[in-house]
Amino acid sequence: MIPVLNPQRLSVWSTERPRATIAIVVLIAVLFAVWLPKVRTDTDPKNMLPPTSDVRVLNDKVEQWFGLHKDMIVVGLVREGGIFDTGALKAVERVTRAVVDLAGVVSADVISLTTADNVVVEEGTLRVEPLLSTIPETPDQMERFRAALLGNTMVVGRLVSQDGTATAIYVPLEKGANGKEIADKIREIVRRGDTGGIRYFVAGDPVARDTFGVEMFRQMAVFAPLAGMVMLIALYLMFRSLILSFSIMAVAMAASIWSMGLLVAVGQPVHIMSSMMPVFLMAIATDSIHIFNEFYFRLREAKDRRNAVLETMRVVGAPVSYTALATAAGFGALVLGEIIPVRVFGIFVAFGTMAIRLMSFSLIPAVMMLVPERVLLAARDREDPEAGASRWLGSLGRPSIGRPRLVLAAGALLLVVAAAGIPQIRINNNMIRWFRQSSELAVADRVMNAKLAGTSLLYIVASSDEPGALKDPLRLRYLEALQRKIERVEQVGKATSVVDLVKRINRVLQKDRPEDEILPGSRDVIGQYLFLFGMSAKPSTLENLLDGEARRANIWVQLKSWDAEAVERVLGAVKSFTSVSPPPGLTIQPSGIAYFNLVWNDEVLKDMVKTFIAALIVVLAILAISFRSLGWGMLSFVPLLFTISLIYGVVGLLGKDFDMPISVLSTLSLGMAVDFAIHFIRRYRQRLEEHGGTTADALVWTVSRPGKGILRNAVLFSLAFAVMLASSLTPYVTVGVFIIAMMMLSAIFTLVYLPALVMLLARRSSEGKPAGAGQS
Amino acid sequence: MCGKGTTVVVLAAAVLLTRPVPAEAASADDIVAKSQRAYFYAGSDMKARVLMTLASAGGQKRTRELTMLRRNKGDAGEQQYFMYFHQPADVKAMTFLVEKYPNKDDDRWLFIPGINMVKRIAARDAAQSFVGSDFTYEHVSGRDLDADEHRLLPDEKVEGKDCHVVESVPRSAAEYKRKRAWIDKSTLLPLKEEYFDGKGELFKAFKADEVRSIGGVPTVIRRTMTNRKTGHTTTVSFTDVAYDAGIEADIFTERYLRDPPGRWIK
């Protein structure tokens, strides 16, 4: 039997049967790998929350009440010389026609100048027809069309920009349609024919989401191997042994295949977080560096290779085990959150981490047994505790050992700076910002938000128990006042409601003067207007704003930003309005994709606080158990605390959005950044126990010998994530920057701050009991 | 009620009725013309109380109730419709008058009692919904025979009844790109229709739920139109149906819009 549970016995077993060990690891990897071809992705932000969550249930209901569609692509058409041009309008007509016939498009509900209903009275006849029913040919006709369009309050901002240079086509998608594929087809339609001098922009949530999905796959396929290559080269430069370097990569690859394979096997899709799993596991696998680091030192001391391996495993085994446990706990804590993809990510990285630990005690010793002796000896000779990085590290450690108070004071100052930044952190998940500023999508969104009323959609729904309630003039007037209040909020481009429609009908039935654009005072008249409109218009035009029973009305709010803050402002305005003037027998609820994003943000924040605290407790417990001392456990927490406070402080000071990827990182960083402190403190205490000597001597030794492993680990980890800085998707860049900062900072704090702290504590305890062992 | 080319329907029907044509030689056009005659033109006039139930996929229901008076005007295919709305309550006493002409758009007038105004309303396109239901105006009053190219498919049975199967592809604007109709050989009434869109997908389906003989005239007294894309359905039931009731021609004038004829509308 393979002694899996006891790491020491596992490494003994593996050194005896190196080939069998490798074969077993490969076999298991193959078993998991067979699942990989079945992988599928899910980048729909909606699936971040379970289908049973309140916001999704409400959104589904609202869509049903008003016949709305979940996903909408917005095509912006811009002509700097103005869209009031026969050629340009012909192009709008051509594109609309072709878009209507695309598979996956809800043909009946495509809204453009040529399909949107408009109510007019001409020569005493009421007409409900598309805004653009015949394309004007003469300048006279064109001028009339322009005046009619720009004078129509329901249309300006939505279907024509105030300055007349832009129009839009709103393309609702059927359930399950792929936004990127349809966006690509729309771009193709545009290219195929005469564009009438118009520039086209394709935007909207489904395009962003599905483009992200495709990009995610592509980048995952590039960055995971690239990170592996970079690490391999760095490892080779450090250890001069290709086989040893490759063994760390093999551990990382095997762990990635195990976890990814398991993820696919249990039927989970790959989300944005889990797509980064291989890179994370690769970085976590660098923990094995401590094994090599020590092994090379041991090889100088013990001449027999097998003994060197077993000795190494004996001294490094415990820290490697505990760091793996702490890392797994950090990821595992994510399970306590509500956001499904984050939970999945946590579980599977925790699983991968444990797989890495298992292989650290089996595959790594097995490979060490198989490496040709001369390679080892050559490499060993380069590892001189008095040379290179070790000496440099030793000199780095001395000041903090000599002048601990100064170092501590400097650290305290940094904390103050961080404390100033942390409250300024802004939680915000804005998918458009997941793309680079210069990307086609981000540009499209910017242009359209500048020209038109906005691409982000929020619904404010007013409901009553009583059928017909929303034909009541009193309630409609209330709705109108609320709408006006919402329109005044910054970032709101336009708000549209059934009130606009009723007023429009009143205007055209009366004398068609602007002053006729008012709400009639009688419920019957309003009911008759709406019936009249329903007799002539597309049913969806009215249904989108008022449900069939007139129990509920929907204010469409177009926002010029996908930021959560914009939605918060609107909801703040709604709240202050309803508290000053309570709604007459109506309940007011927010809904729609923009509202979902806000709820999601709150969940991210709640989750972060919850999982962070959980990880804090679990990791602290593991540390305390590992050191069999709460004091040492707390001490090993200090570098981590500094690292995280500093990073958050800077994030806050820079005004960078704090989105889901960052918040996830905060929890798991607890488990990863604490590694260095575990190695440091364990090895320091071990040294003191086994060799005696002064605190200062032991600290200098720790900084220069295990410290070298720590630094190597941090550099390697950073290199692996550095490749992500080249990504075109900003969450990957963010994760890269965050992890590099975290690793480098926690290494530095461990090597500089911990010695100072240990010195100071040792001095204090020796003051308490004179002639103590810890005297320097 | 939209109507260019209705003449063609009527003329074709008239020709067919006067000249014996062997049954086996019946072309698709003949069958469609006869079916339109049976479905839209039965009797010299007709009155009925119509109940429309509009149901959303979510189960929300709305009703519209109206009295419909219809009169065939001459032999050229002109028709007049007078509708009086009983339900929903806030539109009670709204009236709607339609003059259907061959070869040109209908004239429509609506009386809005709340502001005591009669307004002329322009016809829109072929796909225009009838009072917000899943039926279009064309479903209510017919589409020109010539507006589509008709083709016979092999006969099929619908609920045990022998049917002609006709496939129609529009020549002029239509809400569909292809339509299939199952026409009962004995009554010539459509029992089933399927409408396909530009993507070749079925988007609307018609079903004659109940056919009854009223004074010897086979009449579809309950029919359903389902929007397959949205799950929205509209069911229309006819009660108090009478043919050749002697509805006076002057009822179909603006005066009666404001002051509906009590004799016909209860």
Side-chain angles (χ1 to χ4, degrees):
Chain A
M1 234 207 77
I2 308 170
V4 171
L5 294 175
N6 183 326
Q8 296 312 324
R9 284 177 52 205
L10 178 62
S11 32
V12 172
W13 192 91
S14 306
T15 50
E16 283 161 1
R17 306 168 188 79
R19 282 170 220 283
T21 305
I22 292 170
I24 290 170
V25 169
V26 170
L27 189 72
I28 297 174
V30 169
L31 286 180
F32 279 114
V34 294
W35 290 97
L36 288 179
K38 296 199 169 163
V39 67
R40 62 197 173 86
T41 56
D42 179 358
T43 49
D44 194 339
K46 282 180 208 85
N47 293 337
M48 294 291 170
L49 299 181
T52 51
S53 60
D54 290 348
V55 60
R56 284 188 66 180
V57 170
L58 176 68
N59 273 1
D60 287 347
K61 275 198 220 149
V62 167
E63 278 156 18
Q64 210 169 56
W65 293 336
F66 299 106
L68 300 165
H69 305 284
K70 261 193 177 53
D71 291 328
M72 177 112 81
I73 292 180
V74 190
V75 186
L77 304 91
V78 179
R79 186 170 176 276
E80 292 308 335
I83 56 157
F84 299 100
D85 169 86
T86 305
L89 293 178
K90 275 188 177 148
V92 174
E93 185 184 39
R94 172 182 76 81
V95 173
T96 306
R97 276 216 185 120
V99 166
V100 163
D101 280 344
L102 284 179
V105 167
V106 185
S107 311
D109 292 347
V110 171
I111 299 172
S112 93
L113 285 178
T114 59
T115 65
D117 280 327
N118 186 30
V119 195
V120 290
V121 171
E122 281 170 7
E123 293 156 7
T125 300
L126 180 105
R127 234 175 249 283
V128 180
E129 60 184 10
L131 288 160
L132 178 62
S133 45
T134 44
I135 293 176
E137 299 278 352
T138 67
D140 224 37
Q141 290 171 340
M142 191 60 83
E143 190 42 47
R144 242 178 298 143
F145 175 61
R146 180 217 290 269
L149 205 60
L150 293 177
N152 188 335
T153 46
M154 285 195 76
V155 177
V156 174
R158 216 152 90 84
L159 280 167
V160 64
S161 63
Q162 190 76 60
D163 64 359
T165 58
T167 178
I169 304 175
Y170 296 84
V171 187
L173 305 188
E174 284 174 353
K175 256 193 202 114
N178 184 303
K180 183 185 186 304
E181 283 169 16
I182 294 177
D184 285 343
K185 280 188 198 141
I186 293 175
R187 293 187 186 110
E188 177 60 33
I189 288 170
V190 170
R191 267 194 300 272
R192 256 197 331 250
D194 182 14
T195 57
I198 284 178
R199 284 187 300 141
Y200 289 78
F201 299 92
V202 182
D205 179 63
V207 189
R209 178 192 71 209
D210 293 327
T211 305
F212 195 89
V214 172
E215 277 296 297
M216 189 175 91
F217 239 124
R218 205 155 54 197
Q219 308 224 343
M220 191 163 65
V222 173
F223 288 122
L226 202 61
M229 281 300 294
V230 170
M231 276 174 60
L232 194 65
I233 293 167
L235 278 168
Y236 180 74
L237 292 177
M238 285 176 188
F239 296 107
R240 298 283 161 180
S241 159
L242 211 52
I243 301 179
L244 277 185
S245 308
F246 194 73
S247 70
I248 289 188
M249 294 311 305
V251 167
M253 276 164 61
S256 297
I257 293 172
W258 290 19
S259 345
M260 272 293 187
L262 189 64
L263 180 97
V264 177
V266 299
Q268 282 290 337
V270 174
H271 291 90
I272 167 165
M273 288 311 302
S274 42
S275 73
M276 294 187 232
M277 247 163 56
V279 182
F280 271 97
L281 290 174
M282 219 171 279
I284 292 167
T286 57
D287 202 40
S288 307
I289 273 219
H290 296 279
I291 300 175
F292 289 122
N293 194 52
E294 186 60 24
F295 177 57
Y296 277 32
F297 282 114
R298 291 281 160 183
L299 217 49
R300 293 178 75 88
E301 292 155 15
K303 298 292 168 199
D304 167 26
R305 185 212 325 229
R306 182 151 189 269
N307 269 338
V309 172
L310 292 179
E311 265 302 289
T312 302
M313 295 321 288
R314 187 183 67 76
V315 292
V316 187
V320 167
S321 282
Y322 280 108
T323 54
L325 258 182
T327 306
F331 283 96
L334 294 173
V335 174
L336 296 173
E338 296 293 325
I339 299 172
I340 303 159
V342 173
R343 282 196 329 222
V344 169
F345 172 75
I347 294 170
F348 285 91
V349 179
F351 168 79
T353 306
M354 296 319 284
I356 287 172
R357 172 193 171 262
L358 202 61
M359 285 185 267
S360 300
F361 290 100
S362 53
L363 189 68
I364 298 274
V367 173
M368 289 198 286
M369 290 309 290
L370 293 177
V371 179
E373 197 108 12
R374 56 178 172 76
V375 175
L376 286 181
L377 293 177
R380 178 201 68 187
D381 293 337
R382 295 167 35 82
E383 288 293 317
D384 184 341
E386 304 307 321
S390 293
R391 188 165 38 187
W392 176 76
L393 277 169
S395 58
L396 182 75
R398 266 177 211 106
S400 40
I401 293 159
R403 319 198 57 178
R405 276 175 214 282
L406 192 70
V407 173
L408 289 188
L413 197 68
L414 279 179
L415 273 190
V416 171
V417 174
I422 290 174
Q424 307 205 26
I425 284 179
R426 223 162 50 120
I427 305 257
N428 191 19
N429 284 289
N430 179 340
M431 207 169 193
I432 295 297
R433 296 196 190 184
W434 286 6
F435 295 89
R436 291 207 186 246
Q437 284 276 308
S438 56
S439 68
E440 198 178 351
L441 258 163
V443 170
D445 202 66
R446 254 200 321 276
V447 169
M448 291 171 63
N449 282 329
K451 293 273 184 194
L452 297 160
T455 51
S456 171
L457 201 54
L458 173 72
Y459 303 129
I460 301 292
V461 178
S463 308
S464 161
D465 295 333
E466 171 205 332
L470 268 307
K471 291 178 186 168
D472 172 18
L474 183 78
R475 292 194 174 109
L476 285 186
R477 263 197 286 278
Y478 182 85
L479 203 68
E480 186 185 20
L482 177 62
Q483 185 184 342
R484 289 291 99 79
K485 174 96 181 172
I486 291 170
E487 275 170 348
R488 281 197 295 271
V489 176
E490 204 190 325
Q491 302 282 29
V492 170
K494 190 174 186 67
T496 311
S497 80
V498 67
V499 175
D500 300 302
L501 200 61
V502 173
K503 284 163 70 182
R504 171 93 195 151
I505 297 167
N506 191 67
R507 174 178 168 163
V508 297
L509 283 180
Q510 305 297 335
K511 300 208 169 66
D512 203 2
R513 298 165 307 190
E515 59 264 38
D516 293 325
E517 207 155 322
I518 49 167
L519 271 174
S522 137
R523 182 184 183 131
D524 282 354
V525 172
I526 293 170
Q528 288 163 20
Y529 280 3
L530 292 173
F531 193 74
L532 157 72
F533 186 77
M535 283 183 88
S536 326
K538 282 199 292 193
S540 62
T541 311
L542 180 57
E543 197 193 2
N544 287 172
L545 298 171
L546 184 73
D547 77 336
E549 291 178 287
R551 273 180 55 201
R552 304 170 196 281
N554 183 12
I555 306 179
W556 286 53
V557 184
Q558 282 178 274
L559 298 164
K560 286 176 179 287
S561 162
W562 288 92
D563 288 345
E565 214 179 2
V567 183
E568 246 163 10
R569 284 214 194 101
V570 175
L571 297 191
V574 170
K575 205 172 168 193
S576 76
F577 183 81
T578 52
S579 61
V580 172
S581 39
L586 296 172
T587 36
I588 312 286
Q589 289 165 297
S591 169
I593 178 85
Y595 177 61
F596 175 89
N597 284 344
L598 180 69
V599 173
W600 177 31
N601 266 323
D602 289 348
E603 286 296 332
V604 166
L605 181 66
K606 259 193 281 175
D607 265 20
M608 190 190 74
V609 172
K610 193 158 73 178
T611 58
F612 191 81
I613 291 171
L616 216 65
I617 294 168
V618 176
V619 171
L620 188 63
I622 289 173
L623 290 175
I625 293 166
S626 144
F627 298 128
R628 291 184 179 74
S629 146
L630 189 64
W632 281 110
M634 305 251 274
L635 195 68
S636 59
F637 233 74
V638 171
L640 171 66
L641 226 58
F642 268 83
T643 306
I644 292 189
S645 319
L646 212 59
I647 291 179
Y648 285 175
V650 172
V651 167
L653 288 175
L654 289 182
K656 163 106 187 72
D657 277 356
F658 194 96
D659 59 8
M660 190 190 61
I662 305 193
S663 97
V664 171
L665 289 174
S666 46
T667 299
L668 58 91
S669 64
L670 282 182
M672 299 207 302
V674 84
D675 283 13
F676 299 154
I678 294 180
H679 281 288
F680 188 92
I681 291 174
R682 280 204 78 100
R683 300 300 298 281
Y684 159 73
R685 291 175 71 198
Q686 212 172 32
R687 175 78 186 179
L688 216 53
E689 246 167 55
E690 289 174 6
H691 296 265
T694 64
T695 303
D697 287 345
L699 282 174
V700 170
W701 178 87
T702 313
V703 171
S704 50
R705 183 154 150 181
K708 187 170 178 182
I710 288 171
L711 205 64
R712 279 176 159 170
N713 191 347
V715 168
L716 209 54
F717 217 110
S718 303
L719 281 173
F721 277 93
V723 298
M724 288 174 71
L725 301 187
S727 173
S728 65
L729 302 176
T730 57
Y732 286 4
V733 179
T734 307
V735 169
V737 171
F738 189 102
I739 296 275
I740 293 170
M742 185 185 83
M743 279 294 145
M744 296 313 292
L745 285 176
S746 69
I748 290 165
F749 281 122
T750 301
L751 296 179
V752 174
Y753 213 73
L754 261 191
L757 215 55
V758 172
M759 271 315 288
L760 216 61
L761 288 174
R763 273 191 206 161
R764 181 155 304 166
S765 64
S766 65
E767 277 160 20
K769 35 178 181 152
Q775 190 80 43
S776 60
Chain B
M1 272 149 263
C2 132
K4 280 175 209 129
T6 322
T7 344
V8 186
V9 178
V10 179
L11 290 180
V15 168
L16 285 165
L17 290 174
T18 51
R19 208 167 41 143
V21 174
E24 58 270 26
S27 70
D29 281 15
D30 299 336
I31 291 163
V32 174
K34 280 188 197 161
S35 176
Q36 293 203 348
R37 187 84 208 159
Y39 191 57
F40 297 112
Y41 284 83
S44 63
D45 63 28
M46 179 214 195
K47 97 171 179 60
R49 180 100 167 187
V50 179
L51 180 69
M52 302 185 98
T53 308
L54 285 61
S56 72
Q60 270 192 48
K61 281 192 176 154
R62 287 178 288 161
T63 53
R64 308 204 170 321
E65 199 174 351
L66 56 118
T67 295
M68 183 170 93
L69 307 176
R70 187 202 77 205
R71 184 171 167 271
N72 294 354
K73 196 176 168 189
D75 296 327
E78 280 185 35
Q79 281 186 320
Q80 296 171 310
Y81 288 81
F82 185 100
M83 291 178 213
Y84 176 93
F85 289 94
H86 303 272
Q87 291 282 345
D90 49 18
V91 305
K92 187 169 170 67
M94 270 181 111
T95 47
F96 190 38
L97 177 65
V98 179
E99 288 274 355
K100 186 171 115 178
Y101 309 108
N103 290 330
K104 70 172 197 163
D105 283 342
D106 321 336
D107 283 329
R108 303 174 185 175
W109 292 269
L110 185 75
F111 172 61
I112 308 159
I115 52 172
N116 192 27
M117 178 190 278
V118 171
K119 199 84 198 169
R120 227 183 116 167
I121 296 183
R124 204 187 169 207
D125 52 25
Q128 186 177 354
S129 154
F130 180 71
V131 295
S133 74
D134 295 292
F135 289 90
T136 64
Y137 278 78
E138 282 188 350
H139 291 136
V140 177
S141 65
R143 181 174 160 88
D144 306 343
L145 180 68
D146 251 8
D148 299 274
E149 196 166 315
H150 307 285
R151 173 169 89 88
L152 263 183
L153 299 178
D155 292 353
E156 281 179 30
K157 275 188 191 227
V158 173
E159 286 166 4
K161 298 191 181 87
D162 283 322
C163 286
H164 299 291
V165 184
V166 179
E167 188 171 80
S168 308
V169 176
R171 291 192 181 112
S172 61
E175 70 160 347
Y176 54 87
K177 286 283 156 70
R178 192 164 56 84
K179 168 191 167 184
R180 233 174 235 205
W182 284 258
I183 297 167
D184 187 339
K185 286 188 173 178
S186 64
T187 62
L188 291 167
L189 292 174
L191 296 184
K192 202 170 96 171
E193 286 172 352
E194 290 179 345
Y195 295 84
F196 299 87
D197 62 14
K199 299 171 224 166
E201 291 168 13
L202 176 66
F203 72 97
K204 260 189 187 175
F206 166 89
K207 197 170 169 293
D209 303 304
E210 196 179 342
V211 178
R212 198 180 290 168
S213 174
I214 311 271
V217 182
T219 307
V220 179
I221 59 160
R222 209 176 73 236
R223 65 196 76 182
T224 303
M225 187 69 83
T226 306
N227 184 322
R228 292 297 181 88
K229 295 277 174 180
T230 62
H232 199 279
T233 64
T234 303
T235 304
V236 175
S237 307
F238 282 14
T239 47
D240 293 332
V241 183
Y243 290 103
D244 304 316
I247 303 169
E248 304 86 342
D250 70 345
I251 281 176
F252 300 90
T253 54
E254 188 177 330
R255 181 164 73 86
Y256 282 99
L257 278 175
R258 292 175 186 270
D259 184 16
R263 190 184 151 208
W264 298 105
I265 291 145
K266 280 164 250 150

